[in-house]
Amino acid sequence: MGVKIDPLKCTACMACELACGYHRDDAFALLSSCIVVYRTRDKKDYFGVILKEEEDLVIARPEGLEVKRIGAVEEGGGGGDASAKPMLLREACDLCEDRDDGPLCKQICPVDAIYLD
Ligand code: SF4
Ligand code: SF4
Protein backbone atom coordinates (compact mmCIF):
# COMPACT_ATOMS: atom_id res chain seq x y z
CA MET A 1 0.00 0.00 0.00
CA GLY A 2 1.22 3.48 -0.78
CA VAL A 3 0.19 7.06 -1.44
CA LYS A 4 -1.45 7.68 -4.80
CA ILE A 5 -2.63 10.91 -6.40
CA ASP A 6 -5.63 11.46 -8.65
CA PRO A 7 -4.18 13.75 -11.32
CA LEU A 8 -7.58 14.88 -12.53
CA LYS A 9 -8.49 16.21 -9.08
CA CYS A 10 -5.10 17.75 -8.28
CA THR A 11 -4.86 21.53 -8.70
CA ALA A 12 -1.09 21.79 -8.10
CA CYS A 13 -1.66 23.83 -4.92
CA MET A 14 1.52 22.39 -3.33
CA ALA A 15 -0.08 21.89 0.08
CA CYS A 16 1.05 18.24 0.12
CA GLU A 17 4.63 19.24 -0.64
CA LEU A 18 4.68 21.74 2.21
CA ALA A 19 3.01 19.27 4.55
CA CYS A 20 5.50 16.51 3.77
CA GLY A 21 8.45 18.85 4.33
CA TYR A 22 6.92 19.80 7.67
CA HIS A 23 6.46 16.14 8.58
CA ARG A 24 10.09 15.45 7.76
CA ASP A 25 11.80 18.46 9.27
CA ASP A 26 9.29 20.25 11.52
CA ALA A 27 9.67 23.19 9.17
CA PHE A 28 8.35 24.11 5.74
CA ALA A 29 11.38 22.58 4.05
CA LEU A 30 10.47 21.80 0.47
CA LEU A 31 13.74 19.98 -0.17
CA SER A 32 12.87 17.45 2.52
CA SER A 33 9.55 16.54 0.97
CA CYS A 34 9.17 13.24 -0.83
CA ILE A 35 6.10 14.46 -2.73
CA VAL A 36 6.76 17.22 -5.24
CA VAL A 37 4.62 19.30 -7.55
CA TYR A 38 6.28 20.29 -10.80
CA ARG A 39 5.14 22.73 -13.41
CA THR A 40 6.48 23.63 -16.82
CA ARG A 41 5.51 27.02 -18.16
CA ASP A 42 6.80 26.23 -21.64
CA LYS A 43 4.03 23.64 -21.85
CA LYS A 44 1.31 26.07 -20.86
CA ASP A 45 1.52 25.37 -17.13
CA TYR A 46 1.41 21.61 -17.55
CA PHE A 47 1.89 20.12 -14.10
CA GLY A 48 2.16 16.86 -12.25
CA VAL A 49 3.03 15.38 -8.87
CA ILE A 50 5.86 12.92 -8.16
CA LEU A 51 6.14 10.82 -5.03
CA LYS A 52 9.28 8.92 -4.06
CA GLU A 53 8.89 5.45 -2.56
CA GLU A 54 11.67 3.02 -1.60
CA GLU A 55 11.68 1.33 -5.02
CA ASP A 56 9.28 3.32 -7.18
CA LEU A 57 8.34 6.77 -8.33
CA VAL A 58 4.60 7.43 -8.36
CA ILE A 59 3.93 9.95 -11.12
CA ALA A 60 0.56 11.68 -11.45
CA ARG A 61 0.11 13.65 -14.66
CA PRO A 62 -2.96 14.77 -16.59
CA GLU A 63 -2.47 11.68 -18.79
CA GLY A 64 -2.93 9.43 -15.77
CA LEU A 65 -1.16 7.79 -12.84
CA GLU A 66 2.04 5.86 -13.46
CA VAL A 67 4.34 3.87 -11.16
CA LYS A 68 7.94 3.50 -12.37
CA ARG A 69 10.74 1.41 -10.88
CA ILE A 70 13.55 3.73 -9.83
CA GLY A 71 16.15 1.63 -11.66
CA ALA A 72 14.20 1.99 -14.90
CA VAL A 73 14.02 5.77 -14.48
CA GLU A 74 17.78 6.00 -13.89
CA GLU A 75 18.61 3.88 -16.93
CA GLY A 76 16.02 5.00 -19.40
CA GLY A 77 15.16 8.56 -18.38
CA GLY A 78 11.55 9.63 -18.47
CA GLY A 79 9.39 9.30 -15.37
CA GLY A 80 9.21 12.99 -14.77
CA ASP A 81 12.27 13.83 -16.89
CA ALA A 82 14.53 16.42 -15.23
CA SER A 83 12.21 16.60 -12.24
CA ALA A 84 12.89 12.94 -11.48
CA LYS A 85 16.58 13.45 -10.77
CA PRO A 86 16.29 15.49 -7.57
CA MET A 87 13.55 13.08 -6.51
CA LEU A 88 16.00 10.19 -6.48
CA LEU A 89 18.11 11.95 -3.84
CA ARG A 90 15.24 12.36 -1.42
CA GLU A 91 14.09 10.06 1.36
CA ALA A 92 11.27 7.72 0.49
CA CYS A 93 7.72 8.17 1.72
CA ASP A 94 7.28 6.54 5.14
CA LEU A 95 3.49 6.89 5.04
CA CYS A 96 3.82 9.21 8.06
CA GLU A 97 4.11 6.10 10.21
CA ASP A 98 4.69 8.19 13.35
CA ARG A 99 1.31 9.93 13.00
CA ASP A 100 -1.83 8.49 14.56
CA ASP A 101 -3.92 10.21 11.88
CA GLY A 102 -2.03 8.70 8.94
CA PRO A 103 -0.50 10.51 5.98
CA LEU A 104 -0.36 14.27 6.52
CA CYS A 105 -0.41 14.97 2.77
CA LYS A 106 -3.67 13.06 2.42
CA GLN A 107 -5.20 14.87 5.37
CA ILE A 108 -4.27 18.29 4.05
CA CYS A 109 -5.10 17.96 0.34
CA PRO A 110 -8.01 20.38 -0.20
CA VAL A 111 -9.56 18.42 -3.06
CA ASP A 112 -9.12 14.84 -1.77
CA ALA A 113 -6.78 14.00 -4.60
CA ILE A 114 -4.53 11.84 -2.38
CA TYR A 115 -5.53 8.32 -1.42
CA LEU A 116 -3.96 5.08 -0.23
CA ASP A 117 -3.88 2.06 -2.49
S1 SF4 B 1 -2.39 18.93 -1.97
FE1 SF4 B 1 -3.69 17.81 -3.40
S2 SF4 B 1 -4.33 19.35 -4.91
FE2 SF4 B 1 -2.57 20.19 -3.82
S3 SF4 B 1 -0.79 19.60 -5.08
FE3 SF4 B 1 -1.05 18.00 -3.53
S4 SF4 B 1 -2.31 16.43 -4.51
FE4 SF4 B 1 -2.51 18.30 -5.73
S1 SF4 C 1 2.54 10.03 3.52
FE1 SF4 C 1 3.81 11.39 4.76
S2 SF4 C 1 5.89 10.92 4.08
FE2 SF4 C 1 4.52 10.12 2.50
S3 SF4 C 1 4.32 11.78 0.99
FE3 SF4 C 1 2.63 12.00 2.45
S4 SF4 C 1 3.39 13.47 3.99
FE4 SF4 C 1 5.16 12.67 2.86
Side-chain angles (χ1 to χ4, degrees):
M1 186 178 67
V3 168
K4 300 288 183 303
I5 306 109
D6 182 337
L8 296 181
K9 285 186 178 176
C10 176
T11 59
C13 72
M14 292 182 67
C16 55
E17 189 170 344
L18 284 166
C20 188
Y22 189 79
H23 159 63
R24 296 278 181 190
D25 264 0
D26 291 331
F28 292 112
L30 292 180
L31 281 173
S32 301
S33 177
C34 54
I35 185 167
V36 168
V37 180
Y38 67 94
R39 182 184 291 270
T40 57
R41 292 199 183 282
D42 55 338
K43 289 188 187 173
K44 300 192 174 168
D45 276 347
Y46 172 97
F47 68 86
V49 180
I50 307 180
L51 173 99
K52 167 114 183 270
E53 294 183 326
E54 289 291 346
E55 297 183 351
D56 299 315
L57 288 180
V58 178
I59 304 160
R61 295 181 280 208
E63 302 93 298
L65 188 69
E66 201 178 349
V67 179
K68 287 202 173 200
R69 284 270 145 183
I70 285 176
V73 173
E74 283 172 331
E75 286 163 22
D81 303 320
S83 304
K85 292 187 175 64
M87 288 305 295
L88 302 181
L89 303 175
R90 297 178 187 228
E91 288 183 57
C93 170
D94 63 3
L95 288 170
C96 291
E97 57 192 3
D98 61 339
R99 293 188 80 241
D100 292 338
D101 294 335
L104 183 58
C105 57
K106 179 178 182 297
Q107 188 179 358
I108 211 146
C109 176
V111 294
D112 288 330
I114 297 179
Y115 58 99
L116 297 176
D117 187 30

